[in-house]
Amino acid sequence: MKQLFILLSFLLCTFTASSQSKLFFGINAGPDFTLDNSLPLPTPDASFRNKPSWNFLARIGTDIGHNSRIRLDLGSIDMNSRLTYNYNSSPPDPEVPVKTELAIHTAVLNFNYDYKAISFEKFDVYASAGLRAQFPTSKKETTTYSDNREVETTRVITQFNKSLYGFGAGIVLKYKHSDKAAFTLSPDYSHYFEGLNKGNSSSVKRLNLSVGVEYRLSME
């Protein structure tokens, strides 16, 4: 999968160099919802909740036909979760955990093919599909105990998976402010083949919504 990403990035650079008049750049940001981060499922003794976070993406792409284009999105996402324990101890036992907060910073790389399905004078709708790569770069796992101590632990992530690959699909709603500038709204779903813990039976799934701007170069 890594080799395929390298090949597609090379092809994008080739298209970019040969057709600079069709090149566009963009910046996007918005909320990100982790539907499944492949970590512990709820049990009678604990409940797990993923918190909404934010995504920030830089975009470069090029047209490859009248209704088609390819683009590469590069950015970062913070994945935040909480594991709440339901242990009962009376009197409170200082060794009994109350909750574990998990924060994972990850870099993302998305390669997409966009097809213009609907077009008006000022408004375009693209159907999008492509490959996804996610590279968790750091994690912080903090467990709070009954005596309010906060300790860095490895209760949730025991074998950190530092590269995840998968696929995704979405749409791009594009409002053309001018011949060069446009505003975009992009809901997107990503499904990865692995989890944050190596060997987990479930995999990471994310849904995000980003708004942004695109600027098209004119080299002619």
Side-chain angles (χ1 to χ4, degrees):
M1 181 67 74
K2 184 185 296 184
Q3 290 81 358
L4 182 56
F5 263 96
I6 294 173
L7 174 61
L8 292 175
S9 299
F10 173 76
L11 291 175
L12 176 60
C13 292
T14 302
F15 274 114
T16 299
S18 62
S19 57
Q20 291 184 342
S21 62
K22 302 176 182 178
L23 183 66
F24 60 88
F25 298 92
I27 298 176
N28 297 266
D32 191 275
F33 305 93
T34 302
L35 305 179
D36 184 358
N37 64 3
S38 75
L39 295 176
L41 297 175
T43 68
D45 295 325
S47 58
F48 197 82
R49 181 171 67 90
N50 296 310
K51 300 179 181 179
S53 56
W54 294 93
N55 67 80
F56 301 93
L57 298 170
R59 172 175 298 173
I60 181 173
T62 183
D63 295 336
I64 58 173
H66 182 66
N67 292 319
S68 301
R69 66 181 197 169
I70 54 176
R71 58 184 165 88
L72 191 66
D73 293 343
L74 176 65
S76 64
I77 295 172
D78 289 319
M79 302 173 65
N80 301 307
S81 307
R82 172 183 289 181
L83 183 63
T84 303
Y85 304 97
N86 303 317
Y87 301 127
N88 294 316
S89 62
S90 183
D93 186 341
E95 297 303 317
V96 172
V98 175
K99 64 180 179 179
T100 296
E101 298 278 355
L102 183 65
I104 298 172
H105 182 77
T106 181
V108 293
L109 181 65
N110 302 334
F111 187 93
N112 288 286
Y113 169 79
D114 298 337
Y115 179 76
K116 188 189 298 183
I118 301 173
S119 181
F120 299 102
E121 181 181 357
K122 287 283 189 178
F123 189 73
D124 292 333
V125 179
Y126 290 89
S128 176
L131 302 178
R132 303 286 183 267
Q134 179 171 303
F135 306 100
T137 55
S138 65
K139 73 177 180 74
K140 184 177 182 181
E141 184 178 318
T142 305
T143 297
T144 302
Y145 290 86
S146 298
D147 59 355
N148 293 321
R149 285 180 300 119
E150 293 186 350
V151 181
E152 290 195 15
T153 57
T154 56
R155 286 177 170 271
V156 180
I157 293 185
T158 55
Q159 293 181 302
F160 200 31
N161 198 346
K162 293 190 176 181
S163 59
L164 305 173
Y165 299 95
F167 60 91
I171 60 175
V172 178
L173 307 175
K174 179 179 175 181
Y175 173 76
K176 293 172 283 189
H177 178 69
S178 67
D179 290 339
K180 293 184 178 181
F183 300 100
T184 60
L185 176 67
S186 307
D188 188 85
Y189 171 78
S190 297
H191 183 110
Y192 296 88
F193 300 126
E194 296 181 274
L196 291 170
N197 261 331
K198 292 182 179 179
N200 277 23
S201 58
S202 60
S203 58
V204 173
K205 305 172 187 67
R206 291 187 8 256
L207 180 67
N208 64 65
L209 177 68
S210 62
V211 295
V213 294
E214 282 187 7
Y215 183 82
R216 182 173 298 277
L217 293 184
S218 179
M219 307 295 292
E220 298 176 347

